[in-house]
Amino acid sequence: MLTALIVYQVSRRSGLPFTVLLVLTGISITFLSGQFPALANIEKAVSISPDLILYVFLPTLIFESSYGLDARQLRRNAAQVLTLAIPGLLLSTALIGVIVWKALGVDLSAALLIGAILSATDPVAVVALFRQIGAPARLSTLIEGESLFNDATALVLSKILLGFIATGVLTGGELQSSILDFFVLFFGGLSFGVVVGYLSGELIGWLDSDPILEIGLTIVLAYLAFLTAEELLHLSGIMATLGVGLTLGTWGRLRIASTVRGYLEQFWSVLAFTANALLFLLLGMQVSLPQLLSVWDLVLWVILAMLVSRGLVIFGLLPLVDKLPKLEPVGPGYRFIMFWGGLRGAIALAIVLSLPESSFKDLFIALVTGAVLFTLLAQGLTIKPVMGLLKLDRLPLADRLSLIERDLTAHRRAIERLPELQRGGLFSSRVAHRLNLRSQQAIADARERIDQLRRQQLTEDQEFNLFFLRALAEEKAHYNTMFDNGHLSESTTRRLLTILEHQTDTLRYEHGFHQVNGHRQYEYIEHWLYRLLGGSSLFHGLVERIRISHIGHYYEMAWGHFQGSNHVINSLERLAGLESTPTSIVKRVLGHYRHWNRLAAEKLQRLNHDFPEFALLTQERLGKRIVLLAELETTREQASLGTIPKGLAEEIEEGLQKRLKALRGQVVQKFHDDPVQLLARVPLFSQLPTRLLRLVAQSCEAVTLEKHEYLIRQGSQNDRLYIVSRGSIRLQSHNQGEERRLSTLIAGDSFGESALLGEGHPDISVVAQTPARLYMLSRSRLQHLMGQDRELNQLLLDSNAKQREIHLASPPGLEPGSNP
């Protein structure tokens, strides 16, 4: 490890690829071991084995790589990646096998075996190299994705060919079984990993925010998924670990506490560095130069076969896939880097070292080692200059503009803060003036570079897209902050981020902008589900919980979008003073966000009117969280100053975290509406004592309505009282084809008292304006109760008499208890 750290420092100073320098160092140690006895003892004590590669190093490296992989890029390029990983590898195996068979004169099955071993590009070597040289995001995803996926193909194909070599015959049934085995290994391992990742994400969400627990669990997952899939389920362990990493890195990232995420990424970076360092150093120490020199001519044939097959796959197969509709083609420059950057490494060596003893094993080890060494040294050392020649090492336009703006903003802040040093005293005004002039010059240079970039490369539409992407990134960061502070629930945050990803992809890849209403996507409830299950008493409670959850999510979506658009508007208004972006473009982006903010505000106003209980509960929960967050911040500050003992502060913080977790931005799952309280608001029952109110409430039935669903149609008979518990309903009448809206009733309002007592003549329709819940009391049930309880009978008769007097003074068409 000390040797690896020294090599790492050399790599940082020289700019040479770290993995390549490690291999060269390993070769040097092996070469020098023959000259110095001490090195010989070290070289003999340290060895590499296939199990060490597969079971120790790979789970760590695959998990770390897949956790950090851009899932959106991978999804957009899935067709190309899977084509190269499966049919591309099969084609490469056949081409290498035929060339080696003809050139070396070995058996065809053995030649195909070495073709399978050398066809899989190594994710360890590729990921390490591409991250160091800073390859473009899409290019990295294409090569990393292919490397991560094609190892399963190579391993299964090697297994099939080994079986054929052992038996000397391959029947049609065995071939069919082998093909089935491949799909089971490949997709079964991936599916198993996704399921394990999902379950683990759920578990992490339930745990307290403890770095030891959460980071420790990810270590267990990387190895447990690999070992369970490989040893117990006989699936691809690497695909299982890949599935776990992708799932936790995308869906599960939100469930990892914000205080842990930074630690987690740093921890896995160090772990991956350690595994990479030891792996490539050991790999170099396995190279036997005398053995390679003895078969140098055969190694050249293998290298030639490997390059020819790779070229045919990349330049022949990939263009065919690019012709499929809705796929972004891979350009010629990217194709060449994919061809030249297809490095081989640890996986090829692990497969060849694990071959059973045979007459060709030693030869195959030498040939594979030579081929791997060629890709790491010849291709690995030249890939960066080649990218420079193809101009693929240049930063994207957006990044270049951001760097210049960084200089502009940094020097402006420096000018603002220099007077603070002078006010403190003992700071030379001459030095401050000189620094001020330097910053002024840097600002002028930054403005000039921005203007030059705008004149030469930026069109107005491009600059609009770049600035809009920045606004979307600001909005995304705000939603993540709101989630981390517990103001948004996980499901709402995912929905809001999904909308942003759609908008970002539209701007980035389609070079345009589409209006996306973030709320409308979730406005329409699954009416068929409610109609199917709502009428059943068995599922009534379930349907009601789903409906409440939907309304709560809908409210939180509108509130979150309102807050997010407000934040971006304030941020962009501050940026409007910068000269780096034209005011016209800032105003265009502000126009979109103000429009979204207005839509969200209107939505919230309607929801506050229709569902006031959700608004009150959401505001109360938010207020409690803000108080708890203030307590938590104060506790941490006092602990850092030493005014509160560390142990006591940790105990207080743990209690606050639990209370915050209980108040996390979750949608209300249960809303307790009390029919007794609702009945007490009805004029007819308002004078009843609590005992009688409870008696009547027991005879009330709950009714749920979908949006635009009719409760009563004009002309139909009604003998029931209805009390609105949640949502809003509209009373309307139709006269000669014209609709007249009489009133809107919300939670606590009622209608139908006259009908309940048998005195009403319905001339109105009642329709739900929103999903609504009401309590219904029928005339027959009330009469039955009045017949059983004399006190109830007398009080209701007296109350009805009073209501008649009030009814004479009411506007025509409305009943007492309704709310015009």
Side-chain angles (χ1 to χ4, degrees), residues 342-356:
L343 307 183
R344 276 68 165 179
I347 289 181
L349 197 61
I351 296 174
V352 76
L353 288 173
S354 63
L355 293 177

Side-chain angles (χ1 to χ4, degrees), residues 265-318:
E265 292 175 5
Q266 291 173 11
F267 170 82
W268 277 101
S269 295
V270 173
L271 208 60
F273 167 82
T274 305
N276 260 321
L278 297 178
L279 177 59
F280 282 95
L281 190 59
L282 290 171
L283 185 63
M285 292 173 67
Q286 304 313 303
V287 175
S288 173
L289 293 179
Q291 188 180 19
L292 284 180
L293 291 174
S294 66
V295 292
W296 68 271
D297 53 338
L298 302 182
V299 171
L300 289 179
W301 276 109
V302 170
I303 293 172
L304 177 64
M306 189 172 58
L307 293 175
V308 169
S309 65
R310 182 70 179 169
L312 288 175
V313 168
I314 295 297
F315 297 108
L317 184 61
L318 196 58

Side-chain angles (χ1 to χ4, degrees), residues 294-571:
S294 66
V295 292
W296 68 271
D297 53 338
L298 302 182
V299 171
L300 289 179
W301 276 109
V302 170
I303 293 172
L304 177 64
M306 189 172 58
L307 293 175
V308 169
S309 65
R310 182 70 179 169
L312 288 175
V313 168
I314 295 297
F315 297 108
L317 184 61
L318 196 58
L320 297 178
V321 181
D322 288 341
K323 292 181 180 179
L324 295 175
K326 297 183 179 180
L327 284 185
E328 183 182 3
V330 179
Y334 276 28
R335 289 179 197 165
F336 186 82
I337 296 300
M338 291 174 70
F339 159 71
W340 195 244
L343 307 183
R344 276 68 165 179
I347 289 181
L349 197 61
I351 296 174
V352 76
L353 288 173
S354 63
L355 293 177
E357 292 298 329
S358 62
S359 58
F360 54 78
K361 181 176 180 178
D362 291 339
L363 175 63
F364 275 22
I365 291 175
L367 295 178
V368 170
T369 303
V372 168
L373 199 59
F374 170 82
T375 62
L376 289 174
L377 298 182
Q379 295 175 244
L381 287 172
T382 57
I383 189 72
K384 189 172 183 179
V386 170
M387 288 183 65
L389 289 174
L390 296 174
K391 297 183 179 179
L392 295 177
D393 59 344
R394 296 186 66 188
L395 288 172
L397 189 60
D399 292 345
R400 279 182 278 155
L401 186 62
S402 296
L403 284 175
I404 300 174
E405 289 179 339
R406 183 201 70 86
D407 293 341
L408 188 66
T409 305
H411 285 286
R412 278 181 171 168
R413 288 179 180 173
I415 291 173
E416 292 172 0
R417 293 175 185 177
L418 279 173
E420 296 177 10
L421 290 174
Q422 291 179 285
R423 282 195 296 270
L426 301 178
F427 191 86
S428 169
S429 58
R430 185 184 306 171
V431 173
H433 179 67
R434 187 162 60 246
L435 292 174
N436 187 294
L437 289 178
R438 288 179 183 174
S439 292
Q440 293 283 5
Q441 184 60 45
I443 290 172
D445 292 342
R447 288 174 181 167
E448 176 59 31
R449 282 184 289 161
I450 289 172
D451 291 340
Q452 186 178 3
L453 200 64
R454 186 172 289 129
R455 287 193 304 268
Q456 295 178 355
Q457 299 184 40
L458 272 177
T459 64
E460 185 176 350
D461 287 341
Q462 286 176 323
E463 193 158 8
F464 170 77
N465 286 356
L466 290 175
F467 192 71
F468 214 118
L469 285 171
R470 199 172 311 163
L472 294 174
E474 184 83 14
E475 187 179 1
K476 179 180 179 180
H478 187 65
Y479 289 145
N480 282 317
T481 301
M482 290 178 71
F483 173 77
D484 291 339
N485 289 332
H487 301 329
L488 289 178
S489 66
E490 182 183 339
S491 57
T492 300
T493 305
R494 290 189 191 282
R495 290 178 179 181
L496 291 168
L497 293 179
T498 299
I499 294 166
L500 285 182
E501 287 175 3
H502 175 75
Q503 293 171 328
T504 300
D505 288 348
T506 304
L507 279 169
R508 184 172 290 157
Y509 300 114
E510 299 178 19
H511 307 292
F513 179 77
H514 293 212
Q515 293 284 351
V516 180
N517 189 334
H519 312 301
R520 192 170 298 168
Q521 298 182 25
Y522 305 100
E523 183 175 357
Y524 301 105
I525 310 172
E526 299 289 344
H527 295 285
W528 63 269
L529 176 64
Y530 297 144
R531 294 183 186 279
L532 179 65
L533 302 177
S536 170
S537 59
L538 180 64
F539 295 105
H540 182 79
L542 173 64
V543 172
E544 184 62 18
R545 283 195 297 272
I546 295 173
R547 183 180 282 107
I548 291 174
S549 177
H550 175 89
I551 296 169
H553 277 296
Y554 187 51
Y555 183 91
E556 199 178 20
M557 279 285 295
W559 183 79
H561 200 193
F562 177 77
Q563 297 294 331
S565 54
N566 251 344
H567 172 77
V568 176
I569 288 170
N570 293 332
S571 299

Side-chain angles (χ1 to χ4, degrees), residues 569-795:
I569 288 170
N570 293 332
S571 299
L572 294 184
E573 285 177 342
R574 288 196 303 269
L575 290 174
L578 293 177
E579 299 175 20
S580 58
T581 303
T583 306
S584 60
I585 289 177
V586 176
K587 287 182 178 178
R588 283 176 63 188
V589 176
L590 273 172
H592 286 290
Y593 270 94
R594 283 174 178 151
H595 173 67
W596 285 338
N597 186 257
R598 186 167 56 252
L599 288 178
E602 292 171 357
K603 183 70 67 177
L604 280 175
Q605 289 173 1
R606 290 197 299 271
L607 288 168
N608 288 335
H609 177 268
D610 295 341
F611 305 104
E613 62 273 23
F614 283 99
L616 290 174
L617 286 172
T618 299
Q619 292 167 15
E620 182 180 0
R621 174 178 50 77
L622 180 62
K624 289 180 179 178
R625 285 195 60 85
I626 288 174
V627 173
L628 290 174
L629 286 169
E631 290 185 40
L632 184 63
E633 183 180 353
T634 305
T635 303
R636 288 172 176 170
E637 287 178 357
Q638 292 185 351
S640 65
L641 293 173
T643 56
I644 295 180
K646 184 178 179 182
L648 179 60
E650 289 176 352
E651 184 178 344
I652 295 173
E653 185 174 338
E654 184 179 354
L656 290 172
Q657 289 285 9
K658 288 181 179 178
R659 292 167 65 187
L660 282 166
K661 192 172 184 179
L663 288 171
R664 175 166 282 282
Q666 57 191 10
V667 177
V668 181
Q669 294 298 323
K670 281 189 177 180
F671 180 76
H672 300 286
D673 47 359
D674 187 356
V676 175
Q677 294 181 6
L678 292 172
L679 276 171
R681 298 179 62 177
V682 179
L684 180 64
F685 300 102
S686 60
Q687 302 303 316
L688 295 183
T690 303
R691 180 187 70 83
L692 294 178
L693 283 173
R694 289 175 179 169
L695 180 66
V696 177
Q698 292 174 1
S699 296
C700 293
E701 298 178 24
V703 178
T704 55
L705 298 174
E706 303 303 325
K707 188 176 181 180
H708 303 316
E709 183 178 353
Y710 276 84
L711 179 65
I712 300 173
R713 292 189 180 273
Q714 187 171 338
S716 61
Q717 294 298 317
N718 177 44
D719 61 354
R720 295 174 174 83
L721 167 74
Y722 293 95
I723 312 172
V724 182
S725 170
R726 186 178 63 252
S728 66
I729 60 174
R730 185 172 67 243
L731 277 61
Q732 61 189 33
S733 65
H734 291 269
N735 186 18
Q736 296 179 352
E738 293 185 4
E739 179 183 289
R740 181 189 174 199
R741 299 188 176 187
L742 303 176
S743 64
T744 298
L745 309 185
I746 60 174
D749 295 335
S750 62
F751 66 94
E753 292 176 72
S754 299
L756 182 67
L757 298 176
E759 301 173 358
H761 301 284
D763 58 352
I764 60 173
S765 295
V766 180
V767 62
Q769 289 191 126
T770 68
R773 176 179 170 88
L774 304 93
Y775 280 99
M776 173 191 73
L777 177 63
S778 67
R779 183 191 305 165
S780 60
R781 290 204 173 200
L782 181 62
Q783 289 175 346
H784 178 72
L785 292 175
M786 292 171 68
Q788 287 186 332
D789 194 303
R790 292 184 178 180
E791 182 184 3
L792 175 66
N793 183 67
Q794 187 59 48
L795 289 174

